[in-house]
Amino acid sequence: MGHILRRLILPVVLSLFAVASVHAQGTLADYQRAEKFLPGNARHLYTTGSVMPNWIGKSDRFWYRRTTLKGTEITSEFVVVDAGKNTSAPAFDHSRLAEALAHATKQHVDAANLPFEEFEFIDDEKAVRFEMENTQWTCDLEKYECKKGESTSAHEYESVSPDGRWAAYVEDHNLFLRDTSTGTSSHLTHDGVAGWDYATPLPSLRAYVAQQTDNPKERPAVFWSPDSSKFVTYRIDSRNAGRFTSLQFVPPNQLRPKAFSAVYPLPGEVLPKAEPIVFDVLAGKRIEVKTPPLDIAFQGGPFFEWFPDSKHFHYEAERRGWKELELRDVDAETGEQKALVSESAKTYVDPGETDFRLLEDDSEIVMSSERDGWNHLYLHNAKTGALERQLTKGNWAVREIVSIDDTARRVYFLAGGREKGEDPYLTHLYSVGLDGTGLQPLTPDDADHTVSMSPDNKYFVDDFSRVDLPGGSLLRRADNGSKVRDLEQADVSGLTSMSFKFPEPFEGKAADGTTDLYGLIWKPTNFDPSKKYPIIEQVYTGPQGFFVPKTFGSAMRLQSMAELGFVVVMVDGRGTTGRSRAFHEFSYHNLGGSFADHVAMIKQMAEKNPYMDITRVGIYGTSAGGYGAAHAFLLFPDFYKVCESISGDHDARLDKAWWNELYQGYPVGKDYAEQSNAALASRLKGHLLLVHGDIDDNVHPVETMRLVDALMSANKSFDMLFVPNMYHGESGVHAHYLVRRRWDYFVQYLLGVTPPVNFDLHDEPLPPFRFRRR
């Protein structure tokens, strides 16, 4: 009998062992592989072929920094391209410059990785100037001699005029002007007081913490005229505005916690007010701009831009609640202003979707607007504000005005959704005549395109890729989009050697069963189609954009999470941008209303892909994604089993005025409280991890603590990490620890296995980020 039992039991045990081996996930090897895909480490696996051109003066020449991989070693060089001559060459002799810089600094300098990210040509391109270790350096390109200049922080808290003659600065809440030729300073104002300062943007908590003071210094908000004769600034009255006090629990060089109080207006509260002022430096006059004070709904202050004639400037002003937006012109001599064009809506005018561009002679304005149900371009008379004509139309959306060719009377713009058979979020460059005719597509590839136009609008650099197409960059002619030359190509050889699988685009339907939605699916490199994989959704639903990656480089950021043994997904539901106005407005008074779309899409993904285990779904997100993750988790407690919410804005009543009054609505209504995550606390079922930093400079930790209080009152069990010295999101000295804890949480509760003990995660720091506006 015992022999028979052994014969029966042994195959069962071996079978179970085989299943366990096949399905082993969340192992040390998975963690080590996932670590390789973290952003800094992944730089050694691929290059995107992206080019960020720096046009030289008003010419058709530009330089860029080329990055290449030799094995896993990263090398770089600076290249100059002459578009007109169709040539490309090194910007200078890298070896000689490295040798000269090494001689000047008494340090080793690698010619294949020069210690600066950008430079400028000076002295008729006979020399270059760059910043290194907070110091300005100049290197002669004939003798190859390098000289150390002044510290780049010398004018950190000054605003120097374009001609270098004047420097404006703030001291004791008042504005001063220094003559740089004599060093003599003079008072421009005398009545500034704390909370009613001159030329001082409302500082964020980050400035307080960085300087460890209750009165942080900032670069003055001074906007100089091109001829250096005048500048416009403002005085902000924040004395009656609400403030948040933050407690830094582990400040540097101090045992006791340190408190900071920063202006942070909430929805419906009294807002700080800015009063624009012009100072005529040469005439010694102060001119008040004749406008009611401007509402300041968050940190910072208004922005002004001068016309080339230095006689007037313009700025954008909105009515509170963002139902009206104006482009205003101000006469700098008198302070008189007029509205050039205005845009209004019953719900809101989204400043992120409204773009203005004036022609060089200031006679006309091209403006984007969602007024016909899609974001399109309109031409207005700049003198009267009258609409001359609509320039584009159709069921597709303009994303950005890139440039206007005044001579050819054509406008260049980025748009998505026009090309049939493509993901509607993919962006292309187009041009159209200012008479509304001759619409021309200029980027033919089925990909997402980012462009940079030459100053004379003859050429553009075209960066292109898709999540499943590494792509590269080209130089094209602006008149017809024809290729001048290839610039760079993506190198994915390091990924190929790891059996990397490109993320997979997914198209499905919203919860209404009719609206098309688009998502993305990531798989681990050791993907086995016979396995069942838990699903993790990374979520962000802010109405200010769309968030599912569309380019190869941006899509790489979620690969590390998949390597742990998950299928990772993202979805853009209704209420986000990039589509029609109706699609966008779905989130108005309804910031918590789109998550049924996400559930519907994930179910459709799992139905088409049997390797996705719909019984094990997790979700995480940061900021509005932190709100979204927790909101979806509490709304659908039988669908989502595990959640991490990072820096979540869980209650719009306690969040910044501008974002919430714009997208949730103004005046503040009952929907603010109804859509708070605290209102859903009693619905908690699964495993919830809340993460927030003590010095979050965007979303105050009070929002998470309100949710914590509600969960405790509902007698719910949950987990929490309250992180010292963390700003917004997984940041600061504990960033790597937090990533590892996020991995552990989903491995333990969604995979159902014990994670490696205290895995010591490392990620190389990324190079300084240079933003190029899309």
Side-chain angles (χ1 to χ4, degrees):
M1 182 68 178
H3 180 68
I4 294 172
L5 282 174
R6 281 195 298 273
R7 288 174 60 190
L8 291 173
I9 293 172
L10 185 59
V12 173
V13 172
L14 290 175
S15 175
L16 289 173
F17 178 78
V19 169
S21 299
V22 168
H23 288 269
Q25 293 160 293
T27 65
L28 177 60
D30 293 326
Y31 271 64
Q32 291 169 338
R33 192 174 59 256
E35 185 181 40
K36 294 179 181 178
F37 284 95
L38 291 170
N41 298 335
R43 293 174 61 233
H44 296 273
L45 299 177
Y46 69 95
T47 63
T48 63
S50 178
V51 164
M52 184 174 287
N54 299 266
W55 297 95
I56 300 170
K58 295 184 178 180
S59 73
D60 289 332
R61 299 168 62 242
F62 63 90
W63 66 262
Y64 70 93
R65 188 169 185 257
R66 169 186 290 157
T67 300
T68 57
L69 286 176
K70 295 182 178 179
T72 58
E73 294 299 314
I74 302 171
T75 63
S76 66
E77 67 172 331
F78 294 97
V79 178
V80 169
V81 175
D82 188 317
K85 295 180 180 178
N86 192 12
T87 60
S88 174
F92 40 73
D93 188 322
H94 290 64
S95 295
R96 291 187 67 187
L97 193 142
E99 184 179 339
L101 196 55
H103 177 76
T105 61
K106 310 302 181 188
Q107 298 176 2
H108 171 72
V109 177
D110 184 0
N113 278 297
L114 291 171
F116 51 90
E117 298 286 325
E118 53 187 277
F119 69 92
E120 63 174 322
F121 283 114
I122 58 173
D123 299 337
D124 295 326
E125 300 185 29
K126 295 176 182 177
V128 292
R129 183 164 55 207
F130 54 86
E131 180 182 336
M132 185 177 69
E133 296 180 348
N134 299 318
T135 301
Q136 192 175 87
W137 285 82
T138 300
C139 291
D140 177 273
L141 297 181
E142 293 180 341
K143 298 179 180 179
Y144 278 90
E145 294 176 347
C146 294
K147 294 182 180 180
K148 185 177 182 179
E150 67 178 2
S151 168
T152 53
S153 62
H155 300 290
E156 184 177 2
Y157 300 116
E158 292 183 339
S159 177
V160 180
S161 61
D163 64 4
R165 171 73 189 279
W166 310 100
Y169 63 97
V170 174
E171 192 173 288
D172 295 328
H173 316 294
N174 280 295
L175 191 57
F176 291 75
L177 187 69
R178 181 168 58 86
D179 185 329
T180 60
S181 62
T182 65
T184 304
S185 291
S186 58
H187 267 278
L188 292 181
T189 69
H190 296 82
D191 56 343
V193 294
W196 199 12
D197 323 61
Y198 285 93
T200 303
L202 293 177
S204 75
L205 175 64
R206 191 174 296 241
Y208 290 83
V209 174
Q211 299 177 38
Q212 288 290 294
T213 177
D214 289 325
N215 187 27
K217 291 177 68 68
E218 293 196 275
R219 185 175 179 82
V222 167
F223 304 85
W224 285 97
S225 63
D227 67 0
S228 301
S229 66
K230 310 176 189 70
F231 65 81
V232 57
T233 185
Y234 50 75
R235 187 184 190 190
I236 293 183
D237 186 355
S238 62
R239 293 172 296 176
N240 296 315
R243 307 177 75 92
F244 264 144
T245 298
S246 296
L247 198 62
Q248 186 182 23
F249 284 89
V250 189
N253 307 316
Q254 181 174 316
L255 188 60
R256 290 179 181 271
K258 192 171 181 66
F260 302 97
S261 178
V263 174
Y264 193 107
L266 299 178
E269 289 187 342
V270 173
L271 297 181
K273 305 285 185 181
E275 300 165 324
I277 308 163
V278 177
F279 286 92
D280 189 323
V281 175
L282 299 182
K285 291 195 305 183
R286 167 176 172 160
I287 303 103
E288 309 290 338
V289 176
K290 295 177 174 57
T291 179
L294 309 175
D295 287 331
I296 307 299
F298 193 42
Q299 294 148 357
F303 177 83
F304 306 95
E305 188 170 357
W306 285 85
F307 289 90
D309 64 6
S310 296
K311 294 181 179 179
H312 57 143
F313 58 89
H314 60 87
Y315 69 99
E316 294 178 27
E318 71 284 341
R319 181 158 56 91
R320 186 167 188 181
W322 299 88
K323 290 178 172 58
E324 184 175 341
L325 185 66
E326 284 186 345
L327 180 65
R328 295 175 176 174
D329 177 292
V330 179
D331 185 326
E333 299 288 339
T334 65
E336 296 288 346
Q337 71 172 13
K338 63 178 180 179
L340 295 177
V341 291
S342 63
E343 183 75 1
S344 61
K346 291 182 180 179
T347 51
Y348 58 84
V349 179
D350 192 332
E353 301 297 299
T354 308
D355 201 2
F356 299 96
R357 192 68 63 94
L358 283 95
L359 274 67
E360 284 185 3
D361 64 2
D362 305 334
S363 62
E364 293 172 302
I365 302 170
V366 177
M367 183 182 76
S368 62
S369 167
E370 292 182 294
R371 68 182 67 168
D372 80 343
W374 295 82
N375 204 32
H376 279 298
L377 299 181
Y378 297 81
L379 184 68
H380 291 259
N381 185 296
K383 305 303 180 185
T384 66
L387 174 65
E388 294 184 354
R389 66 188 60 91
Q390 183 171 353
L391 301 181
T392 62
K393 59 182 62 177
N395 294 346
W396 47 278
V398 169
R399 302 274 170 74
E400 179 192 337
I401 302 171
V402 174
S403 182
I404 297 178
D405 187 332
D406 291 64
T407 303
R409 289 191 61 80
R410 294 189 71 79
V411 56
Y412 294 88
F413 61 95
L414 295 172
R418 183 178 180 273
E419 305 309 311
K420 303 302 180 185
E422 283 190 6
D423 180 334
Y425 293 97
L426 295 181
T427 303
H428 289 269
L429 179 69
Y430 302 86
S431 71
V432 69
L434 294 183
D435 61 359
T437 67
L439 179 68
Q440 186 173 19
L442 297 169
T443 49
D445 301 293
D446 178 5
D448 190 80
H449 298 264
T450 301
V451 304
S452 176
M453 298 289 298
S454 65
D456 62 4
N457 296 297
K458 288 183 179 179
Y459 302 93
F460 66 92
V461 172
D462 174 17
D463 266 10
F464 68 96
S465 72
R466 287 195 318 263
V467 295
D468 52 356
L469 174 71
S473 52
L474 305 171
L475 178 64
R476 295 185 183 273
R477 295 179 182 86
D479 59 350
N480 58 17
S482 62
K483 183 174 76 171
V484 177
R485 69 185 294 122
D486 292 300
L487 295 173
E488 299 294 332
Q489 188 83 29
D491 179 356
V492 296
S493 54
L495 296 174
T496 303
S497 67
M498 299 178 67
S499 302
F500 172 75
K501 296 164 182 62
F502 292 109
E504 297 176 6
F506 183 88
E507 182 177 349
K509 298 295 183 183
D512 63 3
T514 59
T515 305
D516 292 332
L517 296 182
Y518 297 82
L520 202 55
I521 300 171
W522 287 260
K523 302 174 184 175
T525 54
N526 62 353
F527 175 74
D528 181 348
S530 67
K531 283 188 179 183
K532 279 282 192 179
Y533 289 85
I535 305 164
I536 294 180
E537 179 185 8
Q538 200 273 332
V539 67
Y540 193 96
T541 57
Q544 76 273 22
F546 58 88
F547 306 98
V548 174
K550 300 300 172 185
T551 64
F552 168 71
S554 62
M556 287 300 299
R557 64 187 174 83
L558 288 182
Q559 188 62 38
S560 61
M561 198 74 183
E563 293 300 323
L564 299 174
F566 301 106
V567 169
V568 179
V569 303
M570 279 192 74
V571 172
D572 277 319
R574 287 172 293 172
T576 50
T577 64
R579 306 280 289 278
S580 69
R581 176 69 180 191
F583 188 96
H584 192 187
E585 285 184 336
F586 182 79
S587 54
Y588 190 60
H589 288 297
N590 189 34
L591 288 178
S594 69
F595 298 104
D597 287 351
H598 294 245
V599 173
M601 279 285 281
I602 295 172
K603 287 180 177 178
Q604 292 166 63
M605 290 175 177
E607 186 176 348
K608 290 187 178 181
N609 299 294
Y611 58 81
M612 297 174 70
D613 187 351
I614 198 66
T615 67
R616 292 185 293 168
V617 183
I619 188 170
Y620 77 99
T622 300
S623 191
Y627 165 80
H631 202 78
F633 187 64
L634 296 170
L635 271 181
F636 301 97
D638 295 320
F639 182 76
Y640 295 103
K641 303 303 195 303
V642 183
C643 171
E644 183 186 21
S645 171
I646 306 159
S647 304
D649 48 341
H650 299 289
D651 191 325
R653 296 170 298 176
L654 288 164
D655 198 39
K656 61 199 76 67
W658 84 265
W659 196 86
N660 294 277
E661 290 186 0
L662 168 58
Y663 295 117
Q664 185 71 17
Y666 177 82
V668 174
K670 62 180 183 179
D671 47 279
Y672 273 72
E674 291 170 349
Q675 293 176 43
S676 163
N677 283 338
L680 302 174
S682 63
R683 298 174 61 87
L684 177 65
K685 284 189 177 180
H687 294 278
L688 171 64
L689 173 61
L690 299 173
V691 180
H692 219 119
D694 59 348
I695 52 171
D696 193 318
D697 53 329
N698 187 357
V699 175
H700 195 278
V702 66
E703 297 202 51
T704 289
M705 295 309 294
R706 282 274 177 174
L707 177 56
V708 165
D709 180 69
L711 290 168
M712 290 179 171
S713 296
N715 196 30
K716 297 295 182 178
S717 297
F718 60 95
D719 298 297
M720 184 176 181
L721 285 171
F722 192 65
V723 187
N725 292 315
M726 183 172 103
Y727 290 113
H728 196 56
E730 293 170 327
S731 62
V733 296
H734 301 304
H736 292 168
Y737 173 85
L738 294 170
V739 172
R740 193 266 293 174
R741 288 297 303 272
R742 168 158 50 83
W743 291 2
D744 287 353
Y745 203 74
F746 285 103
V747 165
Q748 180 175 357
Y749 293 116
L750 200 60
L751 272 178
V753 301
T754 301
V757 177
N758 298 334
F759 180 75
D760 191 9
L761 182 149
H762 295 280
D763 185 24
E764 281 192 14
L766 289 167
F769 178 70
R770 293 180 62 206
F771 175 76
R772 185 171 80 194
R773 188 170 180 262
R774 286 205 54 170

